[in-house]
Amino acid sequence: MGCVQSFRDLCDREKNTNVRISLPAVCFVWQIAMIILFGVFIRYNEESSPFWIEHRKANNISSDIENDFYFRYPSFQDVHVMIFVGFGFLMTFLKRYSFGGVGFNFLIAAFGLQWALLMQGWFHSLDYSDGKIKIGVENLINADFCVAGCLIAYGAVLGKVSPVQLMVLTLFGITLFAVEEYIILNLIHARDAGGSMVIHTFGGYYGLSISWMLYRPNLSQSNRLQGSVYHSDVFAMIGTLFLWMFWPSFNSAITDHGDGQHRAAINTYLALASTVLTTVAISSLFQKHGKLDMVHIQNSTLAGGVAVGTAAEFMLMPYGSLIVGFCCGIISTLGYIYITPFMEKHLKIQDTCGIHNLHAMPGVIGGVVGAITAAAASEAVYGHEGLINTFDFEDAFKNMTPTRQGGHQAAGLCVAICFGVGGGIIVGCILRLPIWGDPADDNCFDDEPYWEVRDKKKQKKQDSHYHGIHWNFT
Amino acid sequence: MGCVQSFRDLCDREKNTNVRISLPAVCFVWQIAMIILFGVFIRYNEESSPFWIEHRKANNISSDIENDFYFRYPSFQDVHVMIFVGFGFLMTFLKRYSFGGVGFNFLIAAFGLQWALLMQGWFHSLDYSDGKIKIGVENLINADFCVAGCLIAYGAVLGKVSPVQLMVLTLFGITLFAVEEYIILNLIHARDAGGSMVIHTFGGYYGLSISWMLYRPNLSQSNRLQGSVYHSDVFAMIGTLFLWMFWPSFNSAITDHGDGQHRAAINTYLALASTVLTTVAISSLFQKHGKLDMVHIQNSTLAGGVAVGTAAEFMLMPYGSLIVGFCCGIISTLGYIYITPFMEKHLKIQDTCGIHNLHAMPGVIGGVVGAITAAAASEAVYGHEGLINTFDFEDAFKNMTPTRQGGHQAAGLCVAICFGVGGGIIVGCILRLPIWGDPADDNCFDDEPYWEVRDKKKQKKQDSHYHGIHWNFT
Amino acid sequence: MGCVQSFRDLCDREKNTNVRISLPAVCFVWQIAMIILFGVFIRYNEESSPFWIEHRKANNISSDIENDFYFRYPSFQDVHVMIFVGFGFLMTFLKRYSFGGVGFNFLIAAFGLQWALLMQGWFHSLDYSDGKIKIGVENLINADFCVAGCLIAYGAVLGKVSPVQLMVLTLFGITLFAVEEYIILNLIHARDAGGSMVIHTFGGYYGLSISWMLYRPNLSQSNRLQGSVYHSDVFAMIGTLFLWMFWPSFNSAITDHGDGQHRAAINTYLALASTVLTTVAISSLFQKHGKLDMVHIQNSTLAGGVAVGTAAEFMLMPYGSLIVGFCCGIISTLGYIYITPFMEKHLKIQDTCGIHNLHAMPGVIGGVVGAITAAAASEAVYGHEGLINTFDFEDAFKNMTPTRQGGHQAAGLCVAICFGVGGGIIVGCILRLPIWGDPADDNCFDDEPYWEVRDKKKQKKQDSHYHGIHWNFT
């Protein structure tokens, strides 16, 4: 730890939050790079190009409605809402960091999805005949998924980093994600429909490791801006509800056509319903007077959706989904009550949004549930063709058995954790360099350094006259 | 009334809002019960199980796209948004009860949908060959519908009950709903696509009866917390708009594939558009200086969607839809101006959200419109096959005529009212028992008793220094 | 200008904002007119009538899923959300005009869509065999599109007009729109999937011309209510994000089934992502200390969706979409920084929401991009059938060539500008008549004249005691 500490001291120089050169530079350079790379690599696939009509006839497809667009576009839009409104508004809960929560979320998601289309395209959609990536609606969904990993990581460092740092975090995060995803899904041949491992476990540990590297010892818990006010909690509920409602679409968006999407949606719907009740129960039980805490309602109610991600398309059974949700509501809420303060105090991990409780832990649970469910699969439950379809026991994996598949699932989970922790530490080191314009401790959780806040001057004048009510003007 | 009154006195003991034992207990016990019952009864149906591929081949279904999922999932998600964001945010309008509005809505919806899947499953989706309920996306929609009835009832008692009371209200509400729905749809063979009778009439009178039983004589209209502030009205508009926009999906979600869903969406779209104009007209006409009242805009604009529910899939014709919306906008707004104060003063019914104007009355109108439209149906308008399909004149009802169908519709409406009023009185009695942790009159419309409100202490300090501006801190 | 000025003086009499007679009268008369006209003209088309089943058999359509409803309904609902929540909440940014922003948006959209169904129906969906307009889901989408033009125009005059004026603006706006659309799409045979020309260019210049006619010389920029407060900016982000997320649905909603919808969605998705980065870059670069301005983030991030509208269904290519978005983010943000103040000062055009930067300019760019892309089309890129399908080179336009199509596109753009400017000047004249109840300069940007604002009295009392903090109570 000594070397880490001295590196920290080296980096902890005076803070200058002026990003007037660096932020535009990063945005322009990266966007121009995207245009060039898209020009070289990205084309429409046969379902989104005008040759679709000829493709349709050649493949004897009877109707335009069988274009993948109609199978996946409604789910895509739901996922899109989760990424931008769901994650964005979930992060508006701080009393004076709502612009940063929803605004930077917007920025890094918009950048991340372009880079994700390229990275994932190279691994999954490259047409070797002409060296081009052929994209369709499924690529858009996967790009949104990929971005989700980085937005989760943002949750851990919310209010403590500059937009330039976030762009760097996203660039590396997407890159790591695409590699990790390729290893887990293609090389290891694990299944992960809703991304419990690939998205949530990776994103969670990636963010936590970065937050550990960026530890601010003097950022007191009593920082006057850390916390919510009444209506910022209501704003955050917009995020919570859109995430909660559309999670069935998230977990079913890229599963198999037909029963795969159908079943994934049902399982997720049930797991989430169950989570709400146990979250409320634990939240009430562990507070004086049985009062509910908005932090738990906003976050832990979503844990069931995370934990059911991997197994959503499997025969988890309706009661199995309820059980998963039941456990996750309890664990996640207890996490907010006990683990988050523990991590801050003893592990030097400051986790603003509690992503450990909402994504990392439930993601690991989801991976384990997926492994168990896969290992328990049988032809009696799935049918002969159903088993092959659900687990993709085809081509190189023709001879796979469910038991071995369970092992592969577990291996996938380990890869996700390793990439998250390892990648996070490396990227965290990079982000400590004193060149990114991050805020001083006093400016954390404040929109002031990076946003024009119009009622600013009046607020100061106000403060000088009526001390003690500045919290009111948010 | 004497006996009712003495029962009331018996119940009106000192209030203790501590739900630290009762709320977790109810949540845990009921969620565990759900898991057990789901384990015993609930399975995937043939469209959501891996046997779909074999089912498809056996039934000569040409493509995965004909899985019911693709017909109904987009509508399901819209309905889901209405239940959680629509109803939830519509109830955030009170200045200091936004947490309770959106949070308890979330809790009881999440519990209610599980119980609804079971109750409705036993009546409608039981596979007698193995005694299991087989669920698919249509069951999820119906569960959401069933929950809507209870959320409507919540509107009447908003701010005056404890979460435990709401759980009880929901448990009985769902049960009554499922029985009532079975009687109306299956035994009486009434049609009710958008649930004007089954959902809105029942839910409305159920809530009003409960509110009558829970009458608080000293809850002055001038309660300092009853009413909205500027931005809580804007929050409520989120709820209004999502309900308004997605109502076409609500009314078309479970109608027949093809023209049925198509027509129901068009009719609802038109009825709602018409309602907005007459709501604005009446709101302006009946206020000094012609100013609009947000209460009307938030609520009465939705009445057209309720009233067109039953007849949405019939040949109501576009102008018919406009007429229904026209009338409902007028009636509902007048209801807010005249009937709600009258009910509070003379009938001892305190209706926080005005569900009588938004759901009960328009629901009854919808039932009547449905009966008339059904009775007027003819083969000339519907075509031979169209008439049979639209009204389901099949099997036991092969010899039904439109005129008789009209009578059955009217009978269905009566059943809905009876179940609503009767059920509400019984459940209201139960909820008066002094064991549920409901708030004292002074604590009504306040999040304080059931939620950790973070700016509380500061608020009190504030209050003591600057009397008269406490309303500002919401 | 002398004559315009004297007309202005004539009109600038004392203001009376009482709309208690005029607003209800307009609403009732117009709604009754709608009912009569719908009764005479509007019927269901073959896909939404009960004869669908016979139509299906006659046309050998294999499944109900091929009903146009299933191709377009998810996109329709997304567009619907954009119209009511997107535009509505985008206009809540003013500190004290949120009711008017979202409420009047609601009113005029609900009226406009009915009138649009009629106007567009006469031009596009008239069944000459019986003189009836036959409507289906595509008509609903087009009606929403048509309304969008008027809502854009509302943005220019936000806070400065009465609801009666808005109803007049909408009546004429829809009428002009339908004529202009018929000329552009049918007579000139330009293609305009996402309405860059038909909707945004027309709507933008229509609004700007009206705003020019309604110029208020004494409406100082320093008006105490012009501007946002912290949480009104967060409300506006709800509008921004729903517009941004669902824009792919907007541009693809009425394109060809299959690859047309698929490609339009992809192009729009990419253009919007690119716009976000350049908007952030320019916003940061042109402010002191590199701080971001919420006005830019709320508006300019959407410019890419506008500019890609016409060409969305063409083979713009993914990198082409990124380039369009790249340029529009820059131009639109610079517009907010330089052009809007310039227009106010020198051209006497007061553009509250900056629709010139968000709709008018990007719309023109979109028209130009569409013309170029169309002119550059070839069979090599589109395939033989693809070219015919995409550009509709059928019937009377069988011999059209891409180059000539490019010219027609440019002609369409000119028509849109002419209709916008010309129509706006005429309607602006009408709106200057001193009979519409518009607010005095002091009452601009204030909900007070047209809405019951509940915390009003308390606010006044407050103001008298604590001068200078009234801005806080919004």
Side-chain angles (χ1 to χ4, degrees):
Chain A
M1 288 296 286
C3 117
V4 170
Q5 191 54 43
S6 65
F7 176 70
R8 276 180 183 161
D9 294 337
L10 185 77
C11 298
D12 288 347
R13 286 192 284 174
E14 251 182 82
K15 305 287 188 185
N16 177 359
T17 59
N18 191 329
V19 291
R20 192 173 172 186
I21 303 303
S22 54
L23 183 59
V26 166
C27 288
F28 274 126
V29 170
W30 291 3
Q31 189 57 53
I32 290 166
M34 288 299 116
I35 291 173
I36 294 166
L37 288 168
F38 270 58
V40 176
F41 285 106
I42 303 234
R43 296 293 177 272
Y44 305 112
N45 73 10
E46 73 274 4
E47 301 198 276
S48 59
S49 87
F51 293 96
W52 157 251
I53 195 160
E54 283 151 30
H55 173 82
R56 222 186 89 187
K57 284 176 188 164
N59 289 270
N60 215 8
I61 295 168
S62 68
S63 162
D64 277 333
I65 197 88
E66 294 184 52
N67 190 305
D68 197 36
F69 183 80
Y70 301 103
F71 284 94
R72 305 214 182 271
Y73 190 71
S75 308
F76 159 67
Q77 276 295 7
D78 293 349
V79 171
H80 217 42
V81 171
M82 293 173 73
I83 298 298
F84 289 90
V85 164
F87 282 106
F89 272 84
L90 190 60
M91 292 197 274
T92 59
F93 73 98
L94 289 168
K95 68 182 75 165
R96 207 63 192 175
Y97 202 71
S98 299
F99 291 1
V102 69
F104 294 151
N105 181 81
F106 193 18
L107 171 64
I108 61 181
F111 164 66
L113 60 85
Q114 299 178 54
W115 181 228
L117 278 174
L118 282 162
M119 283 300 301
Q120 294 184 315
W122 283 317
F123 282 121
H124 299 288
S125 306
L126 201 59
D127 181 342
Y128 290 98
S129 68
D130 59 1
K132 305 295 185 193
I133 297 164
K134 302 292 169 67
I135 62 168
V137 66
E138 196 170 335
N139 298 70
L140 306 191
I141 298 172
N142 274 312
D144 273 16
F145 278 4
C146 193
V147 165
C150 295
L151 300 181
I152 291 166
Y154 178 30
V157 296
L158 183 75
K160 298 175 294 193
V161 291
S162 75
V164 181
Q165 282 179 306
L166 287 173
M167 294 291 282
V168 174
L169 177 153
T170 305
L171 181 74
F172 286 104
I174 300 285
T175 313
L176 288 162
F177 183 101
V179 174
E180 166 238 29
E181 184 192 43
Y182 179 72
I183 293 172
I184 294 175
L185 301 189
N186 293 52
L187 302 187
I188 297 181
H189 193 262
R191 304 283 293 169
D192 196 6
S196 296
M197 306 182 285
V198 169
I199 301 169
H200 298 285
T201 305
F202 166 76
Y205 286 108
Y206 180 62
L208 291 168
S209 306
I210 291 175
S211 191
W212 180 60
M213 293 306 296
L214 300 180
Y215 180 65
R216 290 165 178 269
N218 304 318
L219 183 73
S220 148
Q221 267 287 23
S222 65
N223 184 303
R224 67 183 173 94
L225 292 176
Q226 192 168 13
S228 60
V229 284
Y230 196 75
H231 71 254
S232 72
D233 270 328
V234 182
F235 276 123
M237 278 304 287
I238 297 174
T240 300
L241 288 176
F242 276 102
L243 287 171
W244 195 92
M245 295 180 304
F246 288 158
W247 217 292
S249 299
F250 192 92
N251 285 351
S252 70
I254 55 161
T255 52
D256 289 339
H257 291 175
D259 65 289
Q261 289 195 277
H262 205 149
R263 191 164 56 251
I266 294 173
N267 285 334
T268 312
Y269 173 90
L270 293 173
L272 285 162
S274 176
T275 309
V276 175
L277 272 89
T278 50
T279 299
V280 167
I282 297 293
S283 181
S284 175
L285 196 59
F286 281 76
Q287 306 268 338
K288 269 184 298 180
H289 306 296
K291 294 188 182 186
L292 298 170
D293 189 329
M294 272 310 246
V295 171
H296 307 154
I297 306 299
Q298 282 160 15
N299 293 282
S300 296
T301 49
L302 300 167
V306 174
V308 91
T310 301
E313 60 179 335
F314 302 161
M315 288 294 277
L316 183 57
M317 305 312 287
Y319 66 89
S321 308
L322 292 183
I323 293 171
V324 172
F326 188 92
C327 300
C328 281
I330 297 173
I331 293 168
S332 175
T333 313
L334 291 176
Y336 277 97
I337 299 172
Y338 294 118
I339 302 178
T340 301
F342 175 85
M343 290 203 313
E344 170 138 14
K345 204 166 166 193
H346 300 290
L347 305 184
K348 303 195 172 178
I349 298 175
Q350 290 158 328
D351 179 4
T352 313
C353 292
I355 63 165
H356 185 255
N357 314 304
L358 172 47
H359 297 283
M361 269 198 308
V364 171
I365 293 170
V368 173
V369 169
I372 295 169
T373 321
S378 70
E379 281 201 9
V381 175
Y382 287 78
H384 180 67
E385 283 195 79
L387 193 66
I388 293 171
N389 282 340
T390 306
F391 292 97
D392 238 352
F393 289 162
E394 284 167 337
D395 305 329
F397 298 92
K398 211 163 49 182
N399 300 316
M400 198 79 157
T401 61
T403 332
R404 257 190 75 203
Q405 177 70 30
H408 285 224
Q409 297 287 137
L413 181 59
C414 297
V415 172
I417 296 173
C418 293
F419 263 81
V421 174
I425 290 175
I426 295 165
V427 175
C429 279
I430 297 168
L431 295 181
R432 278 195 82 81
L433 297 174
I435 57 172
W436 305 117
D438 55 320
D441 287 0
D442 278 352
N443 283 324
C444 282
F445 313 118
D446 193 352
D447 276 331
E448 189 56 42
Y450 304 114
W451 296 87
E452 282 292 326
V453 182
R454 263 163 249 284
D455 35 10
K456 186 175 51 181
K457 271 180 225 150
K458 286 174 181 159
Q459 186 179 356
K460 278 185 186 153
K461 178 185 154 198
Q462 182 64 24
D463 279 2
S464 62
H465 287 98
Y466 305 99
H467 288 294
I469 57 165
H470 64 266
W471 54 270
N472 177 35
F473 302 115
T474 49
Chain B
M1 288 296 286
C3 119
V4 171
Q5 192 54 44
S6 65
F7 176 70
R8 276 180 184 160
D9 293 338
L10 185 78
C11 298
D12 288 348
R13 286 192 284 176
E14 251 183 83
K15 304 289 187 186
N16 177 359
T17 60
N18 190 329
V19 291
R20 191 174 173 185
I21 303 304
S22 53
L23 183 59
V26 166
C27 288
F28 274 126
V29 170
W30 292 3
Q31 188 57 55
I32 290 166
M34 288 299 115
I35 291 173
I36 294 166
L37 288 168
F38 269 59
V40 176
F41 286 107
I42 303 234
R43 297 292 178 270
Y44 306 111
N45 73 9
E46 73 274 4
E47 302 198 276
S48 58
S49 87
F51 292 96
W52 156 252
I53 195 160
E54 283 152 30
H55 173 83
R56 222 186 89 185
K57 285 175 188 164
N59 289 270
N60 213 9
I61 296 168
S62 68
S63 161
D64 277 333
I65 197 87
E66 293 184 51
N67 192 305
D68 198 36
F69 183 79
Y70 300 103
F71 284 93
R72 307 214 182 271
Y73 190 71
S75 308
F76 159 67
Q77 275 296 6
D78 293 349
V79 171
H80 217 41
V81 171
M82 292 174 74
I83 297 298
F84 289 90
V85 164
F87 282 106
F89 271 85
L90 189 60
M91 293 197 274
T92 58
F93 73 98
L94 290 168
K95 68 183 75 164
R96 206 64 193 174
Y97 201 72
S98 300
F99 291 3
V102 69
F104 293 151
N105 181 82
F106 192 19
L107 171 64
I108 62 181
F111 164 65
L113 59 86
Q114 299 178 54
W115 181 227
L117 278 173
L118 282 163
M119 283 300 302
Q120 295 185 314
W122 282 316
F123 282 121
H124 298 288
S125 307
L126 201 60
D127 180 343
Y128 290 98
S129 68
D130 60 1
K132 305 293 186 196
I133 297 164
K134 303 290 171 67
I135 62 169
V137 67
E138 198 171 334
N139 298 70
L140 306 191
I141 297 172
N142 274 312
D144 272 16
F145 278 3
C146 193
V147 165
C150 295
L151 300 182
I152 291 166
Y154 177 31
V157 297
L158 182 75
K160 299 175 295 194
V161 291
S162 77
V164 182
Q165 282 178 307
L166 287 173
M167 295 291 283
V168 174
L169 177 154
T170 305
L171 180 74
F172 286 104
I174 300 284
T175 313
L176 287 162
F177 183 100
V179 175
E180 166 237 29
E181 183 192 43
Y182 179 73
I183 294 172
I184 294 175
L185 301 188
N186 294 51
L187 301 187
I188 297 182
H189 192 261
R191 304 283 292 170
D192 197 7
S196 296
M197 306 182 285
V198 169
I199 301 169
H200 298 284
T201 305
F202 166 77
Y205 286 108
Y206 181 61
L208 291 169
S209 306
I210 291 175
S211 191
W212 180 59
M213 293 306 297
L214 299 181
Y215 180 65
R216 290 165 178 267
N218 304 318
L219 184 72
S220 149
Q221 267 286 26
S222 64
N223 184 303
R224 69 183 172 94
L225 292 176
Q226 191 167 13
S228 59
V229 283
Y230 196 74
H231 71 255
S232 71
D233 271 328
V234 182
F235 275 124
M237 278 304 288
I238 297 174
T240 300
L241 288 175
F242 276 102
L243 287 172
W244 195 92
M245 294 181 304
F246 288 157
W247 217 291
S249 299
F250 191 91
N251 285 350
S252 70
I254 55 162
T255 52
D256 289 339
H257 291 175
D259 65 291
Q261 290 194 277
H262 205 150
R263 192 165 53 252
I266 294 173
N267 285 335
T268 312
Y269 173 90
L270 292 173
L272 286 162
S274 175
T275 310
V276 174
L277 271 90
T278 50
T279 300
V280 167
I282 298 292
S283 181
S284 174
L285 196 60
F286 281 76
Q287 305 268 339
K288 268 183 300 180
H289 305 297
K291 293 186 183 188
L292 298 170
D293 189 330
M294 272 310 244
V295 171
H296 307 154
I297 306 299
Q298 281 160 16
N299 293 281
S300 297
T301 50
L302 300 166
V306 174
V308 91
T310 301
E313 60 178 335
F314 302 160
M315 287 295 276
L316 183 57
M317 307 310 288
Y319 66 89
S321 308
L322 291 183
I323 293 172
V324 172
F326 187 91
C327 299
C328 281
I330 297 172
I331 292 168
S332 175
T333 313
L334 291 176
Y336 277 97
I337 298 172
Y338 293 118
I339 303 178
T340 301
F342 175 86
M343 289 202 315
E344 171 139 13
K345 204 169 167 191
H346 299 290
L347 304 184
K348 302 192 173 182
I349 299 174
Q350 291 158 327
D351 180 4
T352 313
C353 292
I355 63 164
H356 185 255
N357 314 305
L358 172 48
H359 297 284
M361 270 197 308
V364 171
I365 293 170
V368 173
V369 169
I372 294 169
T373 320
S378 70
E379 282 201 10
V381 175
Y382 287 79
H384 180 67
E385 281 196 79
L387 192 66
I388 293 171
N389 281 341
T390 306
F391 291 98
D392 239 351
F393 289 161
E394 282 168 336
D395 304 328
F397 297 92
K398 212 163 48 184
N399 300 316
M400 198 80 158
T401 60
T403 332
R404 257 188 76 202
Q405 178 69 30
H408 285 225
Q409 298 286 137
L413 180 59
C414 297
V415 171
I417 295 173
C418 293
F419 263 81
V421 174
I425 290 175
I426 295 165
V427 174
C429 280
I430 296 168
L431 295 181
R432 277 195 82 81
L433 298 174
I435 56 174
W436 306 117
D438 55 320
D441 287 0
D442 277 352
N443 282 326
C444 281
F445 313 119
D446 193 354
D447 276 331
E448 188 57 43
Y450 305 113
W451 297 86
E452 283 292 325
V453 182
R454 262 163 249 285
D455 34 11
K456 186 175 49 181
K457 271 180 224 147
K458 285 175 182 158
Q459 185 179 355
K460 278 185 187 152
K461 180 183 154 198
Q462 183 64 24
D463 280 0
S464 62
H465 286 96
Y466 304 97
H467 288 293
I469 58 164
H470 65 266
W471 52 271
N472 176 35
F473 304 116
T474 49
Chain C
M1 287 297 285
C3 119
V4 171
Q5 191 53 43
S6 66
F7 176 70
R8 275 179 183 160
D9 293 338
L10 185 77
C11 297
D12 288 348
R13 286 191 284 176
E14 254 182 80
K15 305 287 188 185
N16 177 0
T17 61
N18 190 328
V19 291
R20 192 173 173 186
I21 302 304
S22 54
L23 183 59
V26 166
C27 288
F28 274 125
V29 170
W30 292 3
Q31 188 58 54
I32 290 167
M34 289 299 116
I35 291 173
I36 294 167
L37 288 168
F38 269 59
V40 176
F41 286 106
I42 303 232
R43 297 291 178 271
Y44 304 112
N45 72 9
E46 73 273 7
E47 301 198 277
S48 59
S49 86
F51 292 96
W52 157 252
I53 196 160
E54 283 150 31
H55 173 83
R56 221 186 89 187
K57 285 176 188 164
N59 289 269
N60 214 9
I61 296 167
S62 67
S63 162
D64 278 332
I65 196 88
E66 294 184 51
N67 191 306
D68 198 35
F69 183 79
Y70 301 103
F71 285 93
R72 306 215 182 271
Y73 190 72
S75 308
F76 159 67
Q77 276 295 6
D78 293 349
V79 171
H80 217 42
V81 171
M82 293 173 73
I83 298 298
F84 289 90
V85 164
F87 282 106
F89 272 85
L90 189 60
M91 293 197 273
T92 58
F93 73 98
L94 289 168
K95 68 183 73 165
R96 205 65 191 172
Y97 201 72
S98 300
F99 290 3
V102 70
F104 293 151
N105 181 82
F106 192 17
L107 171 64
I108 62 182
F111 164 66
L113 60 85
Q114 299 178 54
W115 181 227
L117 278 174
L118 282 163
M119 283 300 301
Q120 295 184 313
W122 282 317
F123 282 121
H124 298 289
S125 307
L126 201 61
D127 181 342
Y128 289 99
S129 69
D130 60 0
K132 305 294 186 195
I133 297 163
K134 303 290 171 66
I135 62 168
V137 66
E138 197 172 334
N139 298 71
L140 306 190
I141 297 172
N142 274 312
D144 273 15
F145 277 4
C146 193
V147 165
C150 295
L151 300 181
I152 291 166
Y154 178 30
V157 296
L158 183 75
K160 299 174 293 193
V161 291
S162 76
V164 182
Q165 283 179 306
L166 287 173
M167 294 291 282
V168 174
L169 177 153
T170 305
L171 180 75
F172 286 104
I174 300 284
T175 313
L176 288 162
F177 183 101
V179 175
E180 165 237 30
E181 184 192 44
Y182 179 73
I183 293 172
I184 294 174
L185 301 188
N186 294 51
L187 301 187
I188 297 182
H189 193 261
R191 305 283 292 170
D192 197 6
S196 295
M197 306 183 286
V198 169
I199 300 169
H200 298 285
T201 304
F202 167 76
Y205 286 108
Y206 181 62
L208 291 169
S209 306
I210 291 175
S211 191
W212 180 61
M213 293 306 296
L214 300 180
Y215 180 64
R216 292 166 178 268
N218 305 317
L219 184 73
S220 148
Q221 268 287 23
S222 65
N223 184 303
R224 69 184 171 93
L225 292 175
Q226 192 168 14
S228 60
V229 283
Y230 196 74
H231 71 255
S232 72
D233 270 329
V234 182
F235 276 123
M237 279 303 289
I238 297 174
T240 300
L241 288 175
F242 276 102
L243 287 172
W244 195 91
M245 294 180 304
F246 288 158
W247 215 292
S249 298
F250 192 92
N251 285 350
S252 69
I254 54 162
T255 52
D256 290 339
H257 291 174
D259 65 290
Q261 290 195 277
H262 205 150
R263 192 164 56 250
I266 294 173
N267 285 334
T268 313
Y269 173 90
L270 292 173
L272 285 162
S274 175
T275 310
V276 175
L277 272 89
T278 50
T279 299
V280 167
I282 297 293
S283 182
S284 174
L285 197 59
F286 281 77
Q287 306 268 338
K288 269 182 298 179
H289 305 297
K291 292 188 182 186
L292 298 170
D293 189 329
M294 272 311 245
V295 172
H296 307 154
I297 307 299
Q298 282 160 16
N299 293 281
S300 296
T301 50
L302 300 166
V306 174
V308 91
T310 301
E313 60 179 335
F314 302 160
M315 287 296 277
L316 184 58
M317 307 309 288
Y319 66 89
S321 308
L322 291 183
I323 293 172
V324 172
F326 187 92
C327 299
C328 281
I330 297 173
I331 293 168
S332 175
T333 313
L334 290 177
Y336 277 97
I337 299 173
Y338 294 118
I339 302 177
T340 300
F342 176 84
M343 290 202 314
E344 170 139 14
K345 204 167 166 192
H346 299 291
L347 304 183
K348 302 194 172 180
I349 298 174
Q350 291 158 327
D351 180 4
T352 313
C353 293
I355 63 165
H356 184 256
N357 314 305
L358 172 47
H359 297 283
M361 269 197 309
V364 171
I365 294 170
V368 172
V369 169
I372 295 169
T373 321
S378 69
E379 282 201 10
V381 175
Y382 287 79
H384 180 66
E385 282 196 79
L387 192 67
I388 293 170
N389 281 340
T390 306
F391 292 97
D392 239 352
F393 290 162
E394 282 168 337
D395 303 328
F397 297 91
K398 213 164 47 182
N399 300 316
M400 198 81 157
T401 60
T403 332
R404 257 190 75 203
Q405 178 69 31
H408 285 226
Q409 297 287 136
L413 181 59
C414 296
V415 171
I417 295 174
C418 293
F419 263 81
V421 173
I425 290 176
I426 295 166
V427 174
C429 280
I430 296 169
L431 294 181
R432 276 195 83 80
L433 298 175
I435 56 174
W436 306 117
D438 55 320
D441 287 1
D442 277 352
N443 282 324
C444 281
F445 313 118
D446 193 352
D447 276 330
E448 188 56 42
Y450 305 113
W451 297 87
E452 283 292 324
V453 182
R454 264 163 249 284
D455 34 10
K456 187 176 48 181
K457 270 180 228 146
K458 286 174 180 158
Q459 185 179 356
K460 279 187 187 149
K461 180 183 153 199
Q462 182 65 23
D463 280 0
S464 62
H465 287 96
Y466 305 97
H467 288 294
I469 59 164
H470 64 266
W471 53 271
N472 177 36
F473 303 113
T474 47

